[in-house]
Amino acid sequence: MSETALTTAPAADATADSTAADAPKEKVVLAYSGGLDTSVCIKWLIEEYNLDVVAVVGDVGQEHNGLEAIKAKALATGAVDCMVVDMRETFVNEYLSAALAANALYENKYPLVSALSRPLICKHLVDVAHKVGATYIAHGCTGKGNDQVRFEASILMLDPTLSIIAPVRDWDLTSREEEMAWAAEHGIPVPTTQASPYSIDDNLWGRAIECGVLENPWTEPPADIYTMTVDPQAAPDEPTYVSISFKAGIPCALNDTPMSYLAIIEELNTIAGQNGYGRLDMIENRLVGVKSRECYECPAALTIINAHKALEDLCLERDVLHHKLALEQLWGDCVYNGQWFSPLKEALDAFMAHTQQCLTGTIMLKLYKGSCTVVGRKSDYSLYSFELATYGQGDEFDQGAAAGFIELHALSCKVWAKNRLEMGADMHPLSSKVDTVCEFATN
Ligand code: ARG
């Protein structure tokens, strides 16, 4: 990391005065969102670092009021260029496909919304840096979150010769008010309406909401934090049934109508959102060691993962399924922690991809007032055997074989238990300790 840290960035305060006026400036590529932070970053990089700023806006399916307006704002704020890149197809076909193969849920809950978009954005930042001959890349993340790690680790893994500048982490504008005052002084349009008290990041895979009153874990999330999902209490009184078909692990049809994975995500964000499904309210462990209270709404992501897992239950051989569950956790940790381009993640992807080859079939779901239940599953690759499972007529399971199986399955522990008895050991050591444990717990 030290190679690309600020030490190699141009000295702060190197103002235009100290540089020959017409000498070509060095370039920095900035991940730009159009918000106050990254707008201040543009001016800051010009004023404090004397760089030409090339802004890059990535469309990953976030809510916005027009990407052209964001581009105009970047240019008006002083960027020498602003590139708006539609990243949605790649986001879905490379990033959300891999995430689905891994049923990726950090801490068993969060479908990695922001963690998935960062590496893709970085790929474009690095590409643009190469195209325009920039040696610096800048992002607008704070020094407390995971996103700074993801940006910087991804950039380092893609091109270790680039240097990274993190203005928000480095500047001394401590409060929002100070930042707004600095922005106003430097001619940056400051939101006139009361800015949202929340920090929000969103894309096709969902929406993350943090800060404001949510910082108190005892406070119930206010109704107005959600925009993709209705309150489950206000959802329709009738359930909505929806079927998702998969081909080699990728969603390919909704209610038997063939559709692209991208279109299915968009449609399910609407349908599941209307049924109040997909909200999360959790305490999450950030990589930097802080527990934070995070709220999410991920209607399509959670619906699709739910269906995908159900198809795997049907089609994957038991041992593959069990080992995959453990590797899914690892995949989620890896991506959450900014290791998208790492060799470990690459190796895990290869395992996941192998398991998806026969994952073709259809899952029926029932969405109802905030819940999403799997109610049906079918596949030509189903390993479910009625003849083996049934307790009724047509049973082909050899119950007689079970006795010998159990004898051998338990044999090594039986030998151990016999020895313990012979040695006079207490065979139930826990029972004597239970009282002590209870006493401790009640004290
Ligand atoms: N905690 C989530 C993560 O680390 C979401 C972060 C989203 N960023 C934001 N500014 N709200 O992936």
Side-chain angles (χ1 to χ4, degrees):
M1 270 253 205
S2 57
E3 266 191 17
T4 61
L6 265 174
T7 46
T8 56
D13 297 331
T15 57
D17 310 340
S18 60
T19 315
D22 47 3
K25 289 188 190 175
E26 288 195 273
K27 291 193 180 103
V28 58
V29 176
L30 168 72
Y32 184 66
S33 71
L36 182 64
D37 278 350
T38 51
S39 298
V40 171
C41 281
I42 294 182
K43 265 279 173 340
W44 192 269
L45 290 163
I46 299 169
E47 303 254 322
E48 303 285 319
Y49 292 98
N50 192 33
L51 294 167
D52 272 346
V53 180
V54 176
V56 174
V57 182
D59 180 2
V60 283
Q62 68 271 38
E63 291 169 354
H64 60 74
N65 297 322
L67 295 165
E68 282 311 305
I70 295 178
K71 176 175 177 166
K73 188 171 175 187
L75 296 175
T77 312
V80 294
D81 197 0
C82 178
M83 302 177 189
V84 178
V85 189
D86 185 351
M87 303 180 185
R88 289 174 304 163
E89 287 285 344
T90 320
F91 187 45
V92 170
N93 296 327
E94 291 178 24
Y95 292 70
L96 300 186
S97 294
L100 185 60
N103 295 313
L105 295 172
Y106 180 64
E107 296 184 337
N108 262 328
K109 300 182 195 76
Y110 163 51
L112 294 174
V113 178
S114 308
L116 291 165
S117 70
R118 302 313 183 202
L120 173 59
I121 293 169
C122 287
K123 220 171 176 192
H124 285 276
L125 295 175
V126 171
D127 263 8
V128 172
H130 290 163
K131 275 191 197 120
V132 304
T135 43
Y136 300 101
I137 292 188
H139 62 74
C141 305
T142 70
K144 274 182 92 157
N146 296 312
D147 284 332
Q148 54 171 346
V149 183
R150 298 169 184 151
F151 270 105
E152 296 184 27
S154 299
I155 293 163
L156 285 175
M157 288 181 219
L158 289 167
D159 182 352
T161 67
L162 290 166
S163 299
I164 296 160
I165 310 178
V168 177
R169 196 170 60 198
D170 299 329
W171 67 36
D172 43 10
L173 305 172
T174 45
S175 67
R176 191 81 178 162
E177 290 70 33
E178 247 186 287
E179 188 186 349
M180 299 223 279
W182 195 92
E185 252 170 58
H186 291 80
I188 300 165
V190 172
T192 43
T193 47
Q194 184 66 42
S196 161
Y198 308 110
S199 167
I200 291 163
D201 183 57
D202 66 321
N203 60 49
L204 287 163
W205 215 225
R207 195 163 160 272
I209 314 118
E210 55 192 5
C211 302
V213 292
L214 301 173
E215 285 178 356
N216 179 349
W218 185 250
T219 302
E220 184 176 353
D224 68 357
I225 70 165
Y226 298 110
T227 62
M228 297 177 81
T229 52
V230 305
D231 185 332
Q233 280 181 339
D237 292 327
E238 294 302 317
T240 305
Y241 285 87
V242 56
S243 75
I244 307 177
S245 301
F246 295 83
K247 190 165 182 228
I250 304 295
C252 62
L254 204 62
N255 295 326
D256 295 327
T257 306
M259 285 164 77
S260 71
Y261 185 14
L262 170 59
I264 290 174
I265 293 170
E266 287 176 331
E267 191 70 18
L268 283 175
N269 270 331
T270 305
I271 299 173
Q274 283 166 347
N275 283 279
Y277 178 67
R279 294 183 175 188
L280 299 173
D281 173 1
M282 65 186 279
I283 299 292
E284 171 180 312
N285 288 286
R286 288 189 192 161
L287 178 59
V288 294
V290 176
K291 277 193 194 292
S292 66
R293 200 280 187 85
E294 309 270 348
C295 293
Y296 300 102
E297 45 185 349
C298 313
L302 293 175
T303 303
I304 295 170
I305 292 172
N306 198 1
H308 185 261
K309 277 168 170 265
L311 190 58
E312 289 192 335
D313 289 344
L314 190 68
C315 299
L316 294 190
E317 184 278 330
R318 178 193 60 190
D319 293 346
V320 171
L321 184 81
H322 287 183
H323 288 285
K324 183 169 186 290
L325 288 172
L327 294 179
E328 287 173 356
Q329 297 289 329
L330 192 55
W331 194 98
D333 289 353
C334 207
V335 171
Y336 186 86
N337 294 336
Q339 306 284 310
W340 180 275
F341 296 108
S342 70
L344 172 59
K345 147 80 171 40
E346 208 172 277
L348 291 172
D349 276 337
F351 173 88
M352 300 300 170
H354 191 88
T355 64
Q356 302 299 294
Q357 291 170 3
C358 295
L359 214 72
T360 297
T362 300
I363 298 297
M364 181 64 80
L365 300 161
K366 182 179 176 178
L367 291 153
Y368 178 63
K369 287 192 179 290
S371 70
C372 172
T373 317
V374 173
V375 293
R377 59 285 268 168
K378 61 178 181 187
S379 166
D380 289 343
Y381 298 93
S382 168
L383 301 182
Y384 176 87
S385 160
F386 174 84
E387 291 73 22
L388 290 178
T390 183
Y391 285 96
Q393 276 188 354
D395 182 3
E396 287 178 8
F397 184 87
D398 180 0
Q399 298 202 32
F405 165 75
I406 296 164
E407 179 65 22
L408 298 188
H409 174 66
L411 184 58
S412 70
C413 291
K414 187 174 158 189
V415 171
W416 168 83
K418 260 179 87 184
N419 176 267
R420 296 273 299 190
L421 267 184
E422 281 161 17
M423 299 308 287
D426 177 1
M427 290 304 290
H428 305 285
L430 252 188
S431 59
S432 56
K433 284 189 192 141
V434 168
D435 293 343
T436 342
V437 172
C438 291
E439 231 170 79
F440 171 74
T442 50
N443 279 339

